[in-house]
Amino acid sequence: MSAPLPPHLLGLNPEQELAVTTLDGPVLVLAGAGSGKTRVLTRRIAHLLYNGVPAENILAVTFTRKAAQEMKHRVTELVGPAAEQVWVSTFHATCCRILRTDIEALGFTRRFAIYDDDDQLRILREVLRENPESELTPSKVLARIDFWKNRGYDPDRVVAEHREPKHGGLIAAWRAYERGLRAADAVDFNDLIGHVVKMFQEHPAVLERWRERFQYVMVDEYQDTNGLQYKLLRLLAEPRRNLAVVGDDDQSIYAFRGADVTNILNFERDFPNARVIRMERNYRSTANVLAVANAVVRVNEKRIDKQLRTDAAPGKPVNLRVLPTEEDEAKWVADAIGVFQRRDRIPYGSMAIVYRTNATARLFEQALGRARVPYRVAGGKRLHERREVRDVLAWIRLAILPVDDAAFLRIVNVPPRGIGPSTLAALRDAGQAAGQPLLATARSYATRAGPSAAALKGFLTLVESIADVARTGTPAELVNAGLVRTGYRDMLERLAQEEEGARRGLRAPRSESRERLLHLGQLLSDAAVFRAPDAGSAIERTQAWLDQFGLAESEEVVPEGGAVTLLTVHNAKGLEYPVVFSVQLNEGQFPHARALEDADGLSEERRLAYVAFTRAMSRLVITRSATRASNEFAPAKQDDPDKPPGRAPDRTASAPSPFLFGLPLDAVEGDLPGMTPTTGAPGLAPLTVGSKVSHPKHGAGVVKKPRDPRGVIVLFKGRPRAVAREDLTLVPERR
DNA sequence: TCTCGATCCATTTTT
DNA sequence: TGGATCGAGA
């Protein structure tokens, strides 16, 4: 006789139930796409609570805020308000909260600023100004620093491990960058996690407190953890080993930011006696969709062998389409969406267009606009990435944290007040000599007579006045001050009127400045609705608002009646749609040309394709274009209504994506010849470093550099040669 | 010394 | 497309 099951255990399959109820000790859940991963995590939290684990001892970490919100929401549905006390948040937000409590142990103040890439570049530009001849560019250095920090390295470690002089300049720049951050009392994105790790390692008492707090740790999308996050989890979970991770190595698509699939592959080694639970039953897609998705990812070498199964019907075949140009492709998709909506009564909100790169969005936006199909672009430019928003926030930041040099540099002359490069250079030199932040330097400068003294004085008065508001005001009042007192709003207002005057009569949607004012309005309302966590000073409340705002992702406004969603594959992860259009399946687009440059790149692109395809529940449509514009960066060609829609002059043929080779033919339909060439050599097969190729004249060789101005660099008998890509045939790898 | 317009350039994926 | 940089004019 068994007691009735509590509601959170109802309706689970045996694997899911095991994953939910195995509470103690390390657990690895290998959860294929659509196998009920979120369900397992939320039920598991419910089960912990049900078993008397206090809510505040539970930590669930995700990668995106959307995932965190979704999880919290679903736990609340299961257990009610008790869910409030459970920490469900992203890695970055979790670490941010930890640092706001304890960062003083590392010599920062609790008011520390969080630098986004814009601020990071500002620091690096300062750093690199020292020797302008250097070949280092700020963005290259930043990419490299990011790369290392993601893996948990510091400059000393890189020097020790590489001991190659070629990194000399880079390392020096990195060290200077770190000094810059510290001087500005700022941390970058990676530091949020890195500093917590460092603090835990150096201050056992602090670590002990947080271990006591988080007795049960859960991690979503474990395959996407990087070296730093891995360290963090180990530190937190080590003594009790109550660590449950959920993931799918086939969906590891964040290698570029340090995600390390070996974390999931080695889990059993790292946590001996781990319970491994495989969830291979897919509840999302039709059998045909799964067959196609499986075919794409199956050929990857480094993967845990598995096969997603479903009891669902085969469903409609996966539809493959080739269109003459990218524009035709976009138009065809837009039309198909219209047909689905009218003929099959599929709501717009149930359809999504998934692409590899953000730049693709515009093309499809235009086509959808012409076809009058409502759409929304997910993960487009986020509010806090917009220049005007960052500007206003910089005023606030500087008012709160006077040492924040990046904020200072950002707004010292915005709106323009006559503080130009030469004044700045003087400030910089004086500041550096005195070891003082820029704002303080400006203060001593303004008292002296000089050409820009008056302008500086005006600026300083402004900062003071905003700082006054910061001491007592709400975030909204502060935003308002940053908007009004600084003259920022007036500046935009004036510009908007000019722009609108200039384009009177034209059928222009909205002037750019008007658009910016709108964004600032959104900023203001975000601040206005912000609910500060608990008491605390006005400044602490503002800080909390800044934190959540800075770590937030795009606010999505869904038009009434639903809208087609446009998103990148990365953004699509974790989501599902009844109808999915996976577009631009051309070599060089998807897989992206840049990804072919390193050996593992192609595997990751395959996983991306797998993610894209498995978003589809009942219908998957895959499209590509037979030609592409040769110059992708040329301005878009204007459609001239008088001329027939002639082909743009410079187009080149494009090869189908290699992911389309070897699809199961009984699961697909459509333009098979253009999509899955079954005869002859597979066109221009993708070349990656290490690909084996053969050449009519030089014979067998190994690719050294697939993309080079001179052609493809291939090693023939150990000698590098540049050869034309067309002459190469790919020697198939053993399967 | 600053501002603004013209020109050139690179261009994946994101917390 | 947007950003960074450079030169002309204020």
Side-chain angles (χ1 to χ4, degrees):
Chain A
M1 267 224 322
S2 58
L5 281 177
H8 65 267
L9 292 181
L10 292 177
L12 297 174
N13 72 27
E15 306 92 82
Q16 290 175 339
E17 188 179 325
L18 192 60
V20 168
T21 55
T22 310
L23 296 182
D24 292 308
V27 178
L28 166 63
V29 182
L30 291 169
S35 64
K37 184 172 60 99
T38 311
R39 185 167 219 230
V40 160
L41 278 168
T42 51
R43 304 283 185 113
R44 198 181 151 87
I45 294 174
H47 198 59
L48 281 166
L49 295 169
Y50 179 79
N51 277 273
V53 175
E56 62 268 22
N57 290 343
I58 303 172
L59 171 67
V61 228
T62 63
F63 278 85
T64 68
R65 255 169 66 105
K66 207 188 285 162
Q69 278 163 353
E70 169 76 8
M71 201 179 297
K72 189 128 199 180
H73 175 73
R74 285 170 64 171
V75 179
T76 309
E77 278 180 348
L78 281 170
V79 304
E84 269 311 300
Q85 296 303 312
V86 182
W87 264 39
V88 184
S89 71
T90 64
F91 270 103
H92 292 86
T94 303
C95 288
C96 181
R97 275 176 76 179
I98 295 177
L99 289 180
R100 286 271 177 235
T101 314
D102 282 324
I103 199 173
E104 282 167 1
L106 293 180
F108 291 82
T109 75
R110 286 166 57 183
R111 287 190 187 188
F112 69 89
I114 302 170
Y115 274 16
D116 58 28
D117 48 344
D118 235 44
D119 301 316
Q120 292 177 289
L121 287 173
R122 249 187 191 87
I123 300 263
L124 280 170
R125 254 176 243 131
E126 296 296 306
V127 164
L128 294 177
R129 214 184 292 275
E130 308 282 290
N131 55 338
E133 316 78 80
S134 154
E135 293 185 356
L136 302 171
T137 65
S139 60
K140 276 191 191 143
V141 175
L142 183 56
R144 209 56 213 164
I145 291 178
D146 249 7
F147 177 89
W148 279 321
K149 282 183 136 183
N150 266 318
R151 282 154 185 76
Y153 297 168
D154 58 26
D156 291 333
R157 168 137 178 223
V158 174
V159 169
E161 284 184 9
H162 290 269
R163 53 178 85 241
E164 299 157 51
K166 70 172 178 185
H167 286 319
L170 252 177
I171 300 283
W174 186 7
R175 290 190 202 274
Y177 165 80
E178 293 294 331
R179 282 196 298 274
L181 281 183
R182 197 161 264 276
D185 200 7
V187 309
D188 65 25
F189 259 121
N190 283 318
D191 289 340
L192 285 175
I193 298 166
H195 283 345
V196 171
V197 168
K198 184 162 185 250
M199 185 169 76
F200 282 176
Q201 285 167 336
E202 293 172 2
H203 301 272
V206 177
L207 172 60
E208 205 35 59
R209 235 179 34 241
W210 289 102
R211 279 178 170 170
E212 203 53 45
R213 168 87 201 245
F214 299 127
Q215 304 193 0
Y216 289 85
V217 180
M218 269 160 282
V219 187
D220 190 15
E221 310 277 14
Y222 187 67
Q223 77 281 354
D224 285 332
T225 50
N226 64 27
L228 264 183
Q229 291 155 341
Y230 172 81
K231 277 192 195 168
L232 174 74
L233 292 172
R234 276 208 91 141
L235 280 165
L236 262 185
E238 198 58 76
R240 292 190 173 80
R241 306 197 339 134
N242 291 330
L243 175 66
V245 305
V246 181
D248 176 5
D249 57 314
D250 283 337
Q251 293 188 68
S252 165
I253 56 174
Y254 283 103
F256 69 91
R257 68 174 195 213
D260 188 351
V261 206
T262 53
N263 288 344
I264 195 165
L265 300 178
N266 292 343
F267 188 82
E268 294 179 73
R269 191 202 65 193
D270 295 338
F271 296 91
N273 303 322
R275 231 11 219 278
V276 180
I277 300 163
R278 303 168 79 98
M279 305 203 310
E280 293 174 287
R281 240 183 274 199
N282 174 293
Y283 295 98
R284 178 187 295 149
S285 310
T286 62
N288 281 336
V289 168
L290 283 189
V292 169
N294 278 329
V296 171
V297 84
R298 196 167 39 220
V299 294
N300 273 352
E301 288 188 356
K302 270 190 255 167
R303 72 184 280 266
I304 302 173
D305 191 41
K306 61 189 131 12
Q307 180 96 20
L308 226 38
R309 299 185 309 269
T310 179
D311 299 332
K316 293 253 193 324
V318 172
N319 195 348
L320 308 174
R321 288 290 161 199
V322 197
L323 289 304
T325 68
E326 297 116 302
E327 287 78 14
D328 299 328
E329 181 186 4
K331 180 171 184 307
W332 185 88
V333 169
D335 292 344
I337 286 172
V339 170
F340 280 149
Q341 193 259 341
R342 285 188 302 273
R343 187 193 63 195
D344 302 341
R345 304 261 155 239
I346 300 175
Y348 288 129
S350 301
M351 299 189 259
I353 301 174
V354 179
Y355 38 78
R356 176 66 179 78
T357 66
N358 274 313
T360 304
R362 207 179 315 142
L363 187 68
F364 282 81
E365 279 187 77
Q366 285 170 358
L368 292 168
R370 284 194 203 109
R372 309 214 170 275
V373 171
Y375 64 86
R376 69 192 174 108
V377 184
K381 205 151 200 194
R382 283 161 279 213
L383 191 55
H384 65 263
E385 286 175 353
R386 301 197 180 266
R387 174 147 49 122
E388 55 278 18
V389 169
R390 285 180 160 171
D391 284 346
V392 171
L393 290 182
W395 279 100
I396 297 174
R397 282 165 46 188
L398 190 62
I400 297 183
L401 189 69
V403 299
D404 190 337
D405 279 357
F408 178 96
L409 288 168
R410 176 150 207 127
I411 39 94
V412 63
N413 200 32
V414 179
R417 59 176 62 77
I419 303 176
S422 53
T423 310
L424 264 186
L427 277 181
R428 197 154 28 223
D429 292 344
Q432 220 148 51
Q436 259 187 338
L438 290 169
L439 187 65
T441 315
R443 223 169 255 136
S444 45
Y445 235 70
T447 56
R448 282 181 255 164
S452 350
L456 273 179
K457 249 183 215 142
F459 172 71
L460 290 168
T461 317
L462 266 180
V463 175
E464 263 322 307
S465 111
I466 294 181
D468 275 342
V469 179
R471 273 186 277 278
T472 54
T474 63
E477 286 164 348
L478 205 44
V479 172
N480 200 48
L483 223 51
V484 179
R485 296 196 187 185
T486 60
Y488 204 95
R489 196 177 63 184
D490 288 345
M491 173 183 74
L492 285 181
E493 207 60 76
R494 217 181 44 242
L495 281 171
Q497 275 168 21
E498 279 172 29
E499 289 163 18
E500 280 152 18
R503 56 167 84 178
R504 199 184 305 283
L506 286 171
R507 190 174 57 91
R510 206 181 270 132
S511 79
E512 191 187 318
S513 301
R514 188 65 61 198
E515 195 80 30
R516 300 199 159 168
L517 283 164
L518 227 57
H519 296 145
L520 291 172
Q522 289 168 15
L523 177 71
L524 194 54
S525 54
D526 185 282
V529 300
F530 176 70
R531 210 161 35 88
D534 359 45
S537 69
I539 287 184
E540 276 165 350
R541 267 173 295 159
T542 299
Q543 207 115 55
W545 172 68
L546 284 174
D547 282 351
Q548 65 89 34
F549 187 76
L551 297 172
E553 47 220 48
S554 52
E555 276 306 306
E556 294 178 6
V557 191
V558 184
E560 263 181 72
V564 174
T565 306
L566 274 67
L567 27 58
T568 63
V569 186
H570 286 90
N571 269 313
K573 186 148 77 133
L575 306 176
E576 60 181 23
Y577 297 89
V579 178
V580 168
F581 293 83
S582 183
V583 301
Q584 297 195 330
L585 265 280
N586 281 328
E587 193 199 323
Q589 288 180 303
F590 196 1
H592 194 276
R594 293 282 301 246
L596 301 179
E597 284 168 15
D598 77 288
D600 288 332
L602 192 61
S603 303
E604 175 132 329
E605 297 285 309
R606 265 183 201 290
R607 292 192 291 267
L608 274 164
Y610 176 76
V611 168
F613 296 169
T614 50
R615 298 311 95 198
M617 298 162 77
S618 51
R619 303 207 64 164
L620 174 61
V621 182
I622 299 174
T623 66
R624 73 175 208 91
S625 60
T627 63
R628 284 164 61 192
S630 313
N631 184 0
E632 287 181 46
F633 306 112
K637 310 237 164 20
Q638 280 299 329
D639 273 350
D640 188 344
D642 296 328
K643 273 198 307 197
R647 294 278 158 273
D650 37 13
R651 317 205 110 259
T652 51
S654 58
S657 167
F659 306 153
L660 299 175
F661 298 120
L663 296 185
L665 291 176
D666 51 351
V668 299
E669 66 168 13
D671 303 333
L672 288 177
M675 300 293 283
T676 58
T678 45
T679 57
L684 292 177
L687 299 179
T688 69
V689 175
S691 292
K692 298 193 177 63
V693 292
S694 81
H695 188 271
K697 217 163 91 195
H698 304 294
V702 178
V703 174
K704 188 146 176 255
K705 215 173 157 212
R707 284 154 57 83
D708 187 280
R710 290 161 293 172
V712 183
I713 311 294
V714 184
L715 282 179
F716 294 107
K717 301 198 185 100
R719 290 189 175 283
R721 264 175 212 288
V723 295
R725 186 132 181 259
E726 290 76 22
D727 295 337
L728 290 174
T729 333
L730 190 72
V731 178
E733 298 279 328
R734 41 160 190 80
R735 283 273 293 275

